Amino acid sequence: MRVLKFGGTSVGKPERMQAVAELVCQDPAEHKIVVLSALSGTTNALVEINQAFSTNDKNSALNRIKALEKHYEGFIKGLYSAEQSMQQAAQMLKDHFDYIRSFAEVIDFSETEEKILLAQGELMSTKLFHIYLEEQGQLAVLMPALEFMRLDPDNEPDLTAIEEGLAKQLQKYERYNIYITQGYICKNAEGDVDNLKRGGSDYTASLLGAAIRAEEVQIWTDIDGMHNNDPRIVKNTFPVAELSFDEAAELAYFGAKILHPATIHPAQKYNIPVRLLNTMQPEAQGTIIKNTSSDEHIVKSIAAKDGITAIKIKSSRMLLAYGFLRKVFEVFERYRTPIDMITTSEVAVSLTIDDQTHLPQILDELKIFGTVEIDQDQTIVCIVGHRLTEETGTAELIFRSLGQIPIRMISFGGSHYNISILIPTAYKSDALNALNEGLFKSADWV
Ligand code: ADP
Ligand code: ASP
Ligand code: MG
């Protein structure tokens, strides 16, 4: 069985959703799980509605709800041809939007309400798609993600619970070939509606792929695979045909938006290939991510992650001392804040974090060890490739390309497929374009 995930833009227009239906029904005898995101723009709109409710700006919330509802009314007119489907969808949408509006009555709008509100996008898109497949005479079933997508008490996906819950659903609907479900949404350990964070439908797809030991997970989006650089910033990027799990995981974690940062891990655990494909250009080869790496190119791709804070702790107590780094790391552990990059000298250590939730408390505790300095608005630029650090000349080429761009930290040798550089975010575009010129234009080297 395969898992096919379609993102927001892939279902964001009636004709796009129809094209998705065609792709899904191409091989009707094959069992498949279809994971859908909300229609593009919906989750952003729901975030805004949530913000308006949480600041008690009910008028703004109700106006935004009205605009979103209007968008959906137009959408179904373009999607269905049968009056019956149209009526069924209109009633379904009315129920959802009445429900969303009912949050105006909530006095203490909390995170619980927020999560329920954010779940409405995927709930609606999957119902719209299901009604469309039924209109087309397809035997498809809607399998509610809230029945089996579970988080553990640490708010991490609980793969065992997911496996068990999904198996029950698949058994219940054995006679169907197409199982439609919602990406992104889940329930937490308390049984409340929750989500896998923004862009989380990719993660749903790989978790489901792992749960059923799928033959393949396909992530269908609006671009023909993982490109060699961020196409939102650099012109003339091109798709990379093959990546290893490790290479793809680094790129996803360090900002390649095409994949949710955690997507690769469940697939890698069970060696399930992940294929990135373009809904607008289904015949394009895309990118295959699997357990081996092709050595066709040394540098494969470059990604960048913003919102990074660098923290420097300088202490003479570090000199010739052991146990110092452990004490520093324990502070971050206490506040459950992951560290991304780290560099040391004899008397100082610099490290980076992207979660600033507990930054003030972390800084207070670190000050016990010495002088602490922070640099905010930093970006990690991550260069990923095959045996990158084993190849002589890579570092020279990277630093020559970066020219006058100020570098705050460098991480080389942590793994043989990644070199990371920390720069001020203001230089991100210049850095990505300069690296593109330097690393991909000198064709004989890459
Ligand atoms: P979806 O809605 O299908 O989940 P996303 O918008 O989340 O799609 O991801 C696809 C987008 O990721 C592309 O349109 C592209 O702009 C962006 N992107 C960023 N970095 C890369 C990259 N290295 N390769 C391909 N796409 C990338
Ligand atoms: N709809 C969610 C979002 O926009 C999840 C996803 O699209 O993957 O973040
Ligand atoms: Mg996405």
Side-chain angles (χ1 to χ4, degrees):
M1 187 156 23
R2 276 178 233 258
V3 178
L4 281 66
K5 175 260 170 175
F6 295 90
T9 35
S10 299
V11 291
K13 293 211 168 89
E15 59 277 21
R16 299 257 39 96
M17 194 179 264
Q18 290 163 347
V20 166
E22 209 172 301
L23 281 167
V24 165
C25 300
Q26 246 166 22
D27 186 0
E30 193 204 6
H31 282 60
K32 49 188 87 98
I33 297 179
V34 179
V35 177
L36 298 188
S37 294
L39 312 197
S40 53
T42 300
T43 312
N44 285 347
L46 291 170
V47 167
E48 285 169 10
I49 292 165
N50 165 63
Q51 264 155 8
F53 275 138
S54 47
T55 52
N56 217 8
D57 189 353
K58 288 187 184 160
N59 265 345
S60 157
L62 292 172
N63 284 336
R64 286 173 196 278
I65 297 169
K66 204 190 232 171
L68 190 63
E69 189 173 21
K70 211 157 183 271
H71 176 72
Y72 275 77
E73 284 165 3
F75 188 91
I76 60 170
K77 287 194 186 117
L79 182 63
Y80 305 110
S81 38
E83 188 54 34
Q84 199 206 341
S85 319
M86 197 94 79
Q87 274 176 16
Q88 197 185 341
Q91 184 58 50
M92 178 276 288
L93 291 177
K94 184 174 179 309
D95 292 345
H96 277 277
F97 280 100
D98 283 348
Y99 182 50
I100 296 173
R101 261 186 292 272
S102 76
F103 284 87
E105 312 306 323
V106 176
I107 296 161
D108 236 347
F109 193 88
S110 70
E111 215 176 284
T112 314
E113 280 79 26
E114 172 187 344
K115 301 278 174 65
I116 298 174
L117 203 58
L118 292 180
Q120 302 307 307
E122 272 70 12
L123 291 169
M124 290 194 286
S125 69
T126 45
K127 287 181 187 170
L128 290 172
F129 187 65
H130 185 223
I131 297 171
Y132 181 71
L133 286 191
E134 282 189 327
E135 183 184 280
Q136 299 302 304
Q138 297 293 335
L139 197 63
V141 65
L142 199 53
M143 216 168 45
L146 297 180
E147 294 284 326
F148 52 85
M149 289 304 293
R150 286 282 174 281
L151 298 181
D152 65 17
D154 289 330
N155 279 332
E156 293 297 330
D158 182 341
L159 196 53
T160 313
I162 294 173
E163 254 179 73
E164 287 168 8
L166 180 62
K168 278 194 199 134
Q169 292 285 308
L170 292 174
Q171 206 171 16
K172 183 169 164 192
Y173 299 117
E174 214 175 5
R175 70 188 188 88
Y176 292 90
N177 284 351
I178 303 173
Y179 306 95
I180 307 163
T181 195
Q182 299 83 19
Y184 176 61
I185 66 173
C186 59
K187 281 197 176 167
N188 58 29
E190 279 81 52
D192 294 329
V193 174
D194 213 312
N195 60 60
L196 300 175
K197 310 220 167 67
R198 296 303 306 273
S201 301
D202 305 327
Y203 199 17
T204 302
S206 71
L207 286 163
L208 296 184
I212 58 161
R213 316 289 193 263
E215 198 182 311
E216 184 172 281
V217 172
Q218 297 184 346
I219 308 283
W220 289 83
T221 182
D222 58 358
I223 188 161
D224 53 350
M226 178 74 79
H227 276 218
N228 67 314
N229 206 329
D230 192 327
R232 295 166 299 179
I233 294 167
V234 176
K235 283 199 191 107
N236 303 321
T237 58
F238 53 84
V240 182
E242 267 185 57
L243 287 170
S244 69
F245 286 125
D246 289 333
E247 291 164 349
E250 296 275 355
L251 290 167
Y253 186 73
F254 286 113
K257 187 185 175 238
I258 186 169
L259 284 176
H260 175 282
T263 310
I264 296 303
H265 298 108
Q268 183 168 21
K269 186 167 177 196
Y270 296 104
N271 193 15
I272 297 161
V274 177
R275 201 179 284 277
L276 310 182
L277 293 157
N278 187 353
T279 338
M280 331 268 175
Q281 213 188 324
E283 66 294 344
Q285 185 191 8
T287 301
I288 178 87
I289 301 164
K290 52 189 178 57
N291 64 351
T292 51
S293 174
S294 84
D295 51 8
E296 202 185 330
H297 300 290
I298 299 168
V299 182
K300 298 227 173 129
S301 181
I302 302 167
K305 182 172 168 181
D306 298 334
I308 304 293
T309 302
I311 304 171
K312 179 159 53 179
I313 308 127
K314 204 170 163 201
S315 167
S316 51
R317 279 158 59 191
M318 219 180 139
L319 206 63
L320 300 173
Y322 52 85
F324 181 82
L325 285 179
R326 177 175 52 79
K327 287 186 201 135
V328 168
F329 289 153
E330 275 169 359
V331 174
F332 291 88
E333 197 180 331
R334 266 198 293 288
Y335 293 99
R336 299 169 64 90
T337 303
I339 296 167
D340 284 330
M341 280 176 80
I342 166 156
T343 55
T344 60
S345 82
E346 190 50 41
V347 288
V349 53
S350 271
L351 38 81
T352 71
I353 58 168
D354 77 336
D355 177 0
Q356 300 195 24
T357 321
H358 301 292
L359 185 59
Q361 295 96 312
I362 291 174
L363 295 179
D364 278 348
E365 292 206 23
L366 291 176
K367 279 176 193 153
I368 300 166
F369 303 127
T371 328
V372 181
E373 283 170 27
I374 65 163
D375 288 310
Q376 283 175 306
D377 300 320
Q378 303 287 303
T379 290
I380 296 177
V381 174
C382 170
I383 299 143
V384 166
H386 183 62
R387 297 194 295 108
L388 200 58
T389 56
E390 289 167 31
E391 211 65 38
T392 50
T394 17
E396 189 209 340
L397 204 57
I398 289 170
F399 295 117
R400 192 159 12 104
S401 311
L402 288 172
Q404 298 306 308
I405 291 169
I407 297 171
R408 166 74 176 76
M409 278 167 75
I410 300 161
S411 173
F412 182 99
S415 75
H416 59 253
Y417 41 77
N418 168 5
I419 296 172
S420 295
I421 290 158
L422 188 73
I423 56 165
T425 302
Y427 291 90
K428 170 180 158 180
S429 172
D430 289 350
L432 292 184
N433 279 290
L435 286 169
N436 214 54
E437 277 291 315
L439 299 181
F440 294 102
K441 297 277 158 72
S442 51
D444 54 325
W445 193 78
V446 293

